[in-house]
Amino acid sequence: MDALIVIFVSGIVAMFIAMTHKPLLVLATALVGLSVGIGLMVNQWYNPYLLFDYNGLAFGRGEVIYSVAAMTFALLIIAGGYSYFKREPEHTGEYISLILFSLTGALCMIGYTDLFMFFIGLEILSIPVYVLAGSKKKDLQSSEAGLKYFFTGAFATGILLFGTAWVYGATGTFDLRELSNILAEGTANGPLLYIGILMMMASFLFKVGAAPFHFWGPDVYAGSPNIVTGYMASVVKLAGLYAFLKLFTYVFSAASDLWTGALFGMIVLTMFVGNLSALRQTKFKRLLAYSSISNAGYALMAPMIISDASLFNLWIYLVGYGFAVIALIVISLIVNDDSDNIESYKGIGRKNPWIGFVLVLSVLSLAGVPPLAGFFGKYMVFSSAFATYPILVILAVINSGIGVFYYLRFVMVALSSEDAEQAPVLKPCILQWVVLAICAIGLLLSGYITL
Amino acid sequence: MELFAIPLVFALIALVAPKSKVNYVGLIGAVVSMVVSFIHVANFSPDQYVSVFAPDFILSFGLTFKMGYDGIGLFMVVLTNVITTLILLSNLNRETAHNRAFNALVMLMQFGLLGVFTAMDGIMFYIFWELTLVPIFLISYWFGSADRKKPLMKFFIYTFIGSLAMLLSLMALGTYSRSFAYEDLLAAQLTAKTAFWVMAGFFLAFAIKIPLFPFHTWQPDTYTVSPMAGTMLLSALMLKMALYGMVRWMIPIAPEAMDALSCMVITLGMIGVVYAAVIAIKQSDIKRLFAFASISHVGLIAAGIMLFNKDALAGAFIQIANHSLVALGLFLAADILERRMGTRNMYDMGGVAKLAPKFGFWFAAVAFASVSVPLTSGFIGEFLLIKGLYNYSWIVGLVAGTTLVLGAVYTLRAYQISMFGAPKMEAFSDLTWNEMLTFFIIMLIIVVVGIYPQAIIDFVGPSLDLTIETVKGTKVIVQ
């Protein structure tokens, strides 16, 4: 709760500081706010004491690690995207504070203890992202992305609310603990509850971009400014998947027979749709979008397993994924190509070996090559699911094999030597170097964290 | 620990070393690493197990980080270090040697290989196994010929999918075992059916890497388009990982499935021996020819390993060393020809032996070693393997025996067409000192082992006995 307030306040302060037209000051405010927030959250791990406390939010150890990851990603994104934000000094403050507000929502979605708080968190998370997606106002695609995301997102929210209402109707409570008790007793079981759970699941899967609710994904990812795409792929996905895990794996576990069957089918569909569609993409962000769809499929295998370990497995998966995506997005900012073709990455590994190194690292991590973080995430999720759902794991492994194809093609383009002469000379600013370095270290080492 | 640290340290040094001297950085790294492994050999008695790294914690998912070596492991470690040194030595004057990334990648590759041969934990083995894939891919991709894209893509995807099958097997094993430590995996009790699938997963990974017929289709193209050092790394070291993996991991972990799979693997190996040799005879591209020759030779080794008796395994290890050295020599010769004649087509070559007598001599020596004439290491290795296969079934022994005849046909034919006849060019500069030295060391080891093969047999023997014992001691559970 303390961290939440700090981040929200730093967002407001950043917005007002922006009136001085000094982008650097805005950036500093945001970074300080986020650092303090991360510090408070880490302190929470060792010393569960809160200055402010509120019933609707509770930050146990699981919430702490997810919050720290979300705040770190937001920090990296703001720092890495600064060169983009400051191009329009009059809007810098808006971008940065919108990201901070959205992060506040993400933290609510991570720490919620009742469905009401969860809904508020989801809205606080989503509305700034709708705005950010359409923030390139003179760009048709960006406007399309914002509008599309808003309409479909609002629709999904409606379904979520509807589902929540059914669940409330069946159980008479919003509180997670009471909900799980009532479900365990089995007194409320019946169509009313089941329909509610399935509706909630549909809207969750929409938020994380799982098939068959994925159609917004590629368009929104491709149309949004790159940095917003990175934010959606890392923080939004992290918050959405954790909220899903918390609600379904730990609260609706008594009804798991009902939703695991449906989820099983949708995971299979998501993996195949994501990977097969990604094979023929020629645009970088669309590739990233389909890759993120297939990654959502892998990640959703963690909530399938009703066990305490799932929480950590999902975390390590999402952390590896987040670092890789942020590194790629920052590289795409450095390449700075409006047409967004994969071809424009030609030869940058030759021109600038360090950027090439980070790019190869992050793409291979996405592909799941050891000893990078992506491998450990995949390994943890797959191996914990293996005992219960061997078929699902085998399908997922087949999909990883398909995935290598397009990841490798991207690596080959980036490293190709033929066109190294025409490759643009890249001049990343110092902040972007730092972000890339942090991502690279994260990709190399975060797989070895065990809690 | 210093066993692994040295290549990594030198990989980092190579990244910052001045360009004119970076070729020596790589070479010195390999030599230092080789000397260190010799020190390990000196302090080692063949029946012991030396733990390199064994922290007393287990990660939550059963990863134990255990590393160590016994006779087999140390043998492969020494082989890796010697071969890497020879590769860098022979490559010393090539333009790739002056590239920082190249030297760093070779060192990284060496690090990965050393890890593979000393990993005593299933997941560690998998991690190092995959770690080797990235540097070799990058070496071949950055420095390979212009038409490299498609073959390398095929190579990466092929081997990666194979490895994923191995990962599935490991995951399945993990559900039966406390941790992924080697002894825990050995102790895991599998039913015959589970063991079959576990072994099949491992087999797919290894068969693709070796490569066994019909999983070999990536190999000739990849060998052809890779730069010399890449081809050498692939053929002399990378495929040895898979042969080693069969002895160390695949068979001891799931011995229950031996009966079901050994017949199939031996058959595939035999098909590969004949099939690849016949194709090799018809090749005109000299690098491709040696690539197919490689398939033919390793098919025999893989089949011998599946017999899993002491003689055949000892033969397999001698042949592993022999094949590494011979492949190194042949691909070096192929590269010298290609580089100085500007073509890989044998029919455009000729008369080289007259113009470059030293090269003619050393190439002939390696060619004879490849044909396994007596007094070379190949003779005793192939003899033991064929003897074992003959005891298994006389038909198999007969087919395996054709490798000697067919091997002589394609190797000597290649030598004759490229080296003899009317000279097709004015001048052919003879061997440089480093190439000569490489050939000399290769032949020295081959002849020493050929005269005294017992050295290798004694070195790996006790560990092999132990492994065979565990395999024989496993009872098959009937469901």
Side-chain angles (χ1 to χ4, degrees), chain A residues 408-419:
Chain A
L408 195 65
R409 207 183 49 180
F410 186 50
V411 168
M412 284 178 132
V413 168
L415 294 183
S416 67
S417 54
E418 283 82 11
D419 309 276

Side-chain angles (χ1 to χ4, degrees), chain B residues 119-348:
Chain B
M120 278 292 160
D121 177 288
I123 296 297
M124 288 300 269
F125 176 73
Y126 180 78
I127 289 174
F128 281 114
W129 171 274
E130 286 294 87
L131 186 62
T132 55
L133 182 58
V134 177
I136 189 64
F137 171 77
L138 291 178
I139 289 172
S140 300
Y141 188 74
W142 278 44
F143 307 105
S145 60
D147 53 349
R148 66 195 184 278
K149 283 194 180 165
K150 273 203 170 153
L152 285 179
M153 189 103 164
K154 193 167 165 188
F155 160 64
F156 194 98
I157 289 171
Y158 232 122
T159 50
F160 193 81
I161 287 175
S163 311
L164 286 174
M166 175 159 77
L167 186 63
L168 271 179
S169 284
L170 280 170
M171 282 181 198
L173 270 172
T175 57
Y176 291 90
S177 162
R178 194 173 60 90
S179 78
F180 285 100
Y182 188 58
E183 58 270 19
D184 285 342
L185 291 184
L186 285 188
Q189 295 277 326
L190 307 176
T191 62
K193 199 178 157 207
T194 324
F196 175 80
W197 288 109
V198 167
M199 197 188 225
F202 274 101
F203 174 69
L204 191 63
F206 296 153
I208 288 173
K209 209 88 153 196
I210 289 175
L212 277 181
F213 176 86
F215 304 103
H216 66 282
T217 52
W218 62 268
Q219 191 250 32
D221 293 336
T222 309
Y223 280 21
T224 314
V225 299
S226 297
M228 180 188 78
T231 317
M232 286 175 170
L233 282 170
L234 279 166
S235 65
L237 288 175
M238 193 134 170
L239 67 86
K240 303 303 182 297
M241 293 190 333
L243 294 169
Y244 165 85
M246 285 174 78
V247 179
R248 168 60 43 86
W249 295 95
M250 181 176 111
I251 296 172
I253 279 176
E256 297 90 343
M258 266 293 266
D259 296 337
L261 270 168
S262 64
C263 179
M264 186 190 85
V265 178
I266 290 173
T267 313
L268 289 181
M270 287 305 111
I271 295 175
V273 165
V274 178
Y275 169 84
V278 170
I279 292 182
I281 293 174
K282 294 302 291 173
Q283 290 300 317
S284 58
D285 181 329
I286 196 156
K287 222 170 166 184
R288 258 185 113 75
L289 188 152
F290 292 144
F292 277 108
S294 180
I295 300 178
S296 174
H297 281 131
V298 292
L300 183 65
I301 306 179
I305 287 174
M306 284 314 279
L307 298 173
F308 224 72
N309 61 48
K310 172 112 187 254
D311 280 357
L313 282 181
F317 274 94
I318 294 174
Q319 190 61 7
I320 283 174
N322 174 62
H323 179 263
S324 293
L325 293 162
V326 167
L328 202 66
L330 289 180
F331 283 116
L332 175 58
D335 188 68
I336 289 171
L337 285 170
E338 180 189 352
R339 195 165 283 272
R340 299 185 190 167
M341 322 268 289
T343 172
R344 286 200 303 262
N345 190 338
M346 296 194 299
Y347 295 103
D348 296 341

Side-chain angles (χ1 to χ4, degrees), chain A residues 49-69:
Chain A
Y49 159 78
L50 285 175
L51 208 55
F52 302 96
D53 207 353
Y54 170 61
N55 275 342
L57 288 168
F59 287 89
R61 296 209 149 184
E63 285 80 6
V64 168
I65 55 173
Y66 278 89
S67 312
V68 169

